[in-house]
């Protein structure tokens, strides 16, 4: 197999090539490690573990020689640097955790390793997963492989960029308010945020615990299904983990729907279009790509129905009260005592806390800690936090009303394509507002996907990928993946890759 052909393979295809002994895990691992090193300027990787990865690849090859099979055996991946790992440092994109080595692996990491994946390294992300552009990482921004002058989205920007640039077949990510779906959309890859509780949060550095959820980013829905089957499942170490038997999402993705035919695989599927998801202000390029994607879904047999999520706009203030409130509590553990950074010079204990946190946290993290502490404080709790919780419940109820009328909901992932690096430096609220279409499903704890749906046709962002968001009811990951797979059998947006970057990562 030629080297170029090798990195074009996604998870399922690489799994088949490994099974057919067309390539070994060691060869694939070496090739992708070289690619990661050659694309340093993208900023996607924070740490690589060549020796450990090659040792894992040799083990995978031995397991296969001993007769073991399994779709992920020997497949190289990498993890968002928010999952703790025993063999690689974990930073969560923060100076606070620079050099931190966890004594254990996150459940998601351990499960993927047990399935035979090879861990190449850790991927860049916004500090403590706070952001929408990956510009909040203490270790520098990530560039969008479709246009290195633009952001890859965030907070799982390193994961999305690495998968898009064909440095990896797949990567893990986390999504609190859109951080899998939005970078997947900006980078033209496929990502799924499962129902809250499907993937264990054990060993995921906590941002907002009632919202944080892990999921895969890959080239296709099929590849996501393979990863999600391995990553997910009940974990007694996470008290919010859903107690369900293991799920075979790949089988669900392939299982024909009752009443469907080969030509109309989505016959009988009702897709709801919330009118609030298609405002006049939506970028024309996004609108255009979405309309043609919806036409493809219809041609596959799905019917489109009008629905309403009347509190869509309120999801922004609700999320930006609840997420910082939880973050301010979760981040109180970074005090210079137990782990992470500690200021070198201080007068007394209080001064040590203050200096450590002043030095360790970046501006966005500090902003959120201040907002969170404020809204939880005496006298403001009822006015802000409690109100937000009430609205969160109403937003979840709105979805249930929609799901009485439809099986899935479709809409944009973001109001625009990827924006230029630095464009929102002086205006954090602009980035918050761009989360409008991903926050509702997060607040409701529902599963959501982003799938490549086209490319901007004109303007400054011409040629940049546009994602279609699909949202399902609780635990409807199988329906989501099935619909996304049917769409990807009928379209080729997910197969297109950005033009190769030059030697040092420059065009
Ligand atoms: N952009 C959102 C935020 O900044 C979502 C981040 C996420 O999902 N981790 O909080």
């Amino acid at each position: 197999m030629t080297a170029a052909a090798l990195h074009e393979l996604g998870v399922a295809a690489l799994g088949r090539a490994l099974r057919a002994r067309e390539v070994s895990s060691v060869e694939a691992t070496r090739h992708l490690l070289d690619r990661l090193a050659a694309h340093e300027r993208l900023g996607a990787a924070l740490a690589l573990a060549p020796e450990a990865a090659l040792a894992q690849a040799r083990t995978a090859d031995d397991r296969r020689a001993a007769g073991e099979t399994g779709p992920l055996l020997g497949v190289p991946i990498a993890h968002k640097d928010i999952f703790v790992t025993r063999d690689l440092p974990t930073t969560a994109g923060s100076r606070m955790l620079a050099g931190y080595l966890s004594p254990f692996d996150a459940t998601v990491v351990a499960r993927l390793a047990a399935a035979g994946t090879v861990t190449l390294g850790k991927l860049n992300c916004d500090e403590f997963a706070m952001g929408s552009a990956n510009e909040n990482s203490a270790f520098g921004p990530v560039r969008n492989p479709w246009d290195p002058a633009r952001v890859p989205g965030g907070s799982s920007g390193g994961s999305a960029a690495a998968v898009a640039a064909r440095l990896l077949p797949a990567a893990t990510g986390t999504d609190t308010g859109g951080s899998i779906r939005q970078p997947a959309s900006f980078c033209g890859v496929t990502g799924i945020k499962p129902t809250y509780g499907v993937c264990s949060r054990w060993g995921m550095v906590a941002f907002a615990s009632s919202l944080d959820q892990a999921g895969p980013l890959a080239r296709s829905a099929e590849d996501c299904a393979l990863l999600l089957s391995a990553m997910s499942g009940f974990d007694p170490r996470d008290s919010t983990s859903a107690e369900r038997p293991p799920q075979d999402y790949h089988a669900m993705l392939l299982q024909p729907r009752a009443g469907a035919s080969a030509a109309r695989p989505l016959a009988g599927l009702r897709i709801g279009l919330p009118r609030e998801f298609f405002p006049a202000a939506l970028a024309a390029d996004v609108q255009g790509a979405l309309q043609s994607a919806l036409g493809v879904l219809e041609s596959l047999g799905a019917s489109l129905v009008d629905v309403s999520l009347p509190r869509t706009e309120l999801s922004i203030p609700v999320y930006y009260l609840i997420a910082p409130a939880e973050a301010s509590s979760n981040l109180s553990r970074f005090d210079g005592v137990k782990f992470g950074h500690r200021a070198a010079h201080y007068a007394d204990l209080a001064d040590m806390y203050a200096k450590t946190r002043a030095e360790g946290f970046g501006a966005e993290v500090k902003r959120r800690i201040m907002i969170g502490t404020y809204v939880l404080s005496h006298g403001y709790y009822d006015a802000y936090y409690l109100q937000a919780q009430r609205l969160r419940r109403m937003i979840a109820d709105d979805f249930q009303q929609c799901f009485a009328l439809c099986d899935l909901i479709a809409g944009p992932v973001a109001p625009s394509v990827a924006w230029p690096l630095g464009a929102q430096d002086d205006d954090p609220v602009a980035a918050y507002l761009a989360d409008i279409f991903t926050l509702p499903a997060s607040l409701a704890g529902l599963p959501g996907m982003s799938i490549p749906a086209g490319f901007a046709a004109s303007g400054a962002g011409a040629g940049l990928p546009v994602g279609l968001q699909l949202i399902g009811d609780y635990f409807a990951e199988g329906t989501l993946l099935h619909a996304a797979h049917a769409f990807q059998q009928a379209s080729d947006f997910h197969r297109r890759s950005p033009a190769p970057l030059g030697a040092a990562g420059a065009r």
Side-chain angles (χ1 to χ4, degrees):
M1 174 169 301
T2 66
L6 191 50
H7 57 250
E8 283 301 331
L9 300 181
V11 175
L14 180 56
R16 281 192 294 271
L18 288 163
R19 201 169 319 136
R21 316 284 162 107
E22 288 163 16
V23 63
S24 69
S25 178
V26 167
E27 283 162 353
T29 299
R30 275 215 179 95
H31 176 67
L32 295 174
L33 283 167
D34 288 349
R35 265 184 85 72
L36 279 157
H39 288 76
E40 222 182 322
R41 193 174 154 262
L42 265 187
L46 288 181
L48 295 178
E51 273 160 36
L54 285 166
Q56 289 168 23
R58 272 190 287 274
T59 305
D61 286 336
D62 291 346
R63 279 165 70 176
R64 189 174 298 283
E68 212 180 303
T69 52
L72 300 180
L73 184 59
V75 174
I77 60 168
H79 297 292
K80 181 177 183 179
D81 204 15
I82 205 95
F83 294 95
V84 300
T85 43
R86 214 172 28 194
D87 299 331
L88 278 155
T90 301
T91 67
S94 182
R95 201 171 298 119
M96 187 60 100
L97 280 174
Y100 170 70
L101 207 54
S102 163
F104 65 96
D105 280 333
T107 295
V108 160
V109 170
R111 289 194 174 163
L112 284 167
T117 61
V118 171
T119 304
L120 300 184
K122 303 293 286 289
L123 300 170
N124 204 348
C125 59
D126 280 307
E127 185 173 8
F128 292 105
M130 298 176 190
S132 308
N134 218 114
E135 292 179 296
N136 296 336
S137 168
F139 307 104
V142 178
R143 292 169 185 279
N144 190 317
W146 292 90
D147 177 353
R150 291 184 182 249
V151 303
S155 62
S156 312
S159 305
V163 172
R166 279 25 185 182
L167 311 184
L168 291 167
T172 55
T174 61
D175 190 312
T176 302
S179 281
I180 288 174
R181 291 161 286 162
Q182 186 256 21
S185 175
F186 279 14
C187 289
V189 302
T190 305
I192 180 166
K193 174 202 100 77
T195 307
Y196 182 78
V198 161
C199 288
S200 169
R201 289 185 298 109
W202 173 259
M204 252 166 66
V205 177
F207 163 14
S209 308
S210 77
L211 294 152
D212 297 343
Q213 186 51 210
L217 293 102
R219 313 263 173 82
S220 67
E222 181 178 21
D223 289 359
C224 283
L226 291 169
L227 284 155
L228 188 59
S229 301
M231 290 164 73
S232 59
F234 176 62
D235 180 3
R237 285 175 298 192
D238 171 2
S239 63
T240 57
S241 173
E243 283 200 59
R244 303 169 79 232
Q247 306 285 312
D248 184 346
Y249 295 107
H250 191 248
M252 294 180 208
L253 168 131
L254 297 176
Q255 176 72 35
R257 295 176 54 79
S261 63
R264 292 171 68 79
L266 300 183
L269 186 78
R270 298 164 304 164
I271 298 181
L273 307 179
R275 74 179 68 98
E276 297 78 6
F277 275 32
F278 296 88
L282 197 61
D285 281 327
V286 174
Q287 185 73 260
L290 290 187
Q291 291 310 331
S292 57
L294 293 172
V296 172
L297 290 167
E298 261 187 312
S299 74
L300 296 171
S303 53
L304 305 180
V305 295
D306 288 329
V307 294
S308 174
L309 288 169
R311 276 165 275 254
T312 296
E313 268 188 19
L314 286 173
S315 64
I316 296 170
V318 169
Y319 173 88
Y320 280 99
L321 291 174
I322 291 175
E326 294 187 22
S328 72
S329 168
N330 273 325
L331 270 52
S332 66
R333 74 191 57 169
F334 301 106
D335 56 4
V337 177
K338 293 184 281 293
F339 38 53
H341 176 75
R342 180 184 295 175
H345 307 286
Y346 47 86
D348 54 21
L349 184 63
D351 192 42
M352 190 277 280
Y353 290 155
K355 289 214 169 89
T356 293
R357 288 167 69 83
E359 293 168 11
F361 290 137
E364 182 61 26
V365 172
K366 287 177 184 159
R367 186 177 298 127
R368 301 217 189 178
I369 291 173
M370 285 193 284
I371 294 171
T373 308
Y374 181 80
V375 302
L376 290 176
S377 57
H378 184 72
Y380 295 103
Y381 178 90
D382 288 356
Y384 294 114
Y385 185 73
L386 205 62
Q387 279 292 83
Q389 291 288 25
R390 289 201 180 108
L391 279 161
R392 181 178 186 178
R393 161 58 56 195
M394 293 164 96
I395 289 166
D397 289 346
D398 291 343
F399 273 107
Q400 289 311 305
Q401 298 209 3
C402 288
F403 286 125
L405 305 171
C406 63
D407 307 296
L408 295 179
I409 289 170
V413 177
S416 71
V417 294
W419 55 78
L421 282 154
Q424 295 185 339
D425 278 359
D426 304 323
D427 189 3
V429 176
Y432 299 173
L433 294 176
D435 288 340
I436 184 163
F437 303 124
T438 50
L439 298 179
S442 297
L443 289 165
L446 292 165
M449 272 192 95
S450 174
I451 55 177
F455 295 87
S458 58
L464 291 170
V466 178
L468 168 75
Q469 182 175 212
L470 294 174
I471 298 170
D473 204 349
Y474 298 110
F475 304 112
E477 285 79 9
T479 314
L480 272 178
L481 289 161
H482 182 86
H485 181 61
F487 180 82
Q488 293 185 334
Q489 298 301 103
S491 62
D492 75 343
F493 305 119
H494 64 293
R495 287 198 196 90
R496 301 208 204 151
S497 49
L501 299 178
R507 268 273 152 74

